[in-house]
Each structure stands twice: as C-alpha cells, then as structure tokens.
Amino acid sequence: APAPEQTGDILHMHATGVPLWIFFESINLKLPDGIKIYVNEKEISNYQNYVFNDLDKILITNGKGDLQKQLDSVTDFAKNH
C-alpha cells in the first residue's frame, strides 16, 4: 500500500494558465542545471513554460537512479480532492 498522503504531496492552484516557472518563482525555487521534469511519465524539455493541468503527475529529478522507480513514486492523491 502507498504511504499516506502528507503535506506537500499535492499542489492546489486556483489560477489557470500558470506555467511552472511562475510557480517555482513564487516559492523561491531555483532549479539547478541538469534537472529533468516529467509530466505524466513524459519528459518535458521546456518545462519552465509548461502549463500544468488538473491531475498532472509531475516528477522533478536529477536523472540519477532508477527512473521508473522515481516515476512510480509519484502519487495520484490529487484525484481525492
């Protein structure tokens, strides 16, 4: 069974049309070079401009380790909200 939902597991947005860079800036997060972003298990090359949608499953990774294991670790808790 998956681990129970915790604070920080879900991103809830009221605004629409918001690209990831605005979200990252709003929480003062600067991603280092070499970071990869996967949305719904597909790599997004220009992730800064990606506008996320309801129920998107987003993985931020440095590309090290077992990618499939990392992708599998992204929960779908959002469907409960």
Side-chain angles (χ1 to χ4, degrees):
E5 183 179 323
Q6 298 180 26
T7 300
D9 285 345
I10 298 171
L11 170 63
H12 179 82
M13 294 284 295
H14 289 273
T16 57
V18 177
L20 282 177
W21 75 266
I22 290 177
F23 167 67
F24 292 148
E25 188 175 274
S26 75
I27 61 170
N28 200 28
L29 178 65
K30 293 178 179 25
L31 296 177
D33 292 338
I35 289 296
K36 296 181 180 185
I37 305 276
Y38 290 81
V39 177
N40 303 321
E41 300 195 2
K42 294 184 175 94
E43 186 174 359
I44 303 296
S45 57
N46 187 12
Y47 64 82
Q48 295 91 339
N49 293 320
Y50 180 77
V51 176
F52 50 93
N53 301 292
D54 279 352
L55 305 181
D56 274 351
K57 294 172 71 174
I58 301 173
L59 170 70
I60 302 171
T61 181
N62 62 6
K64 297 178 182 170
D66 184 333
L67 176 60
Q68 191 58 55
K69 188 173 184 178
Q70 292 175 44
L71 290 168
D72 291 345
S73 75
V74 179
T75 69
D76 59 355
F77 291 140
K79 73 180 187 318
N80 300 323
H81 294 269

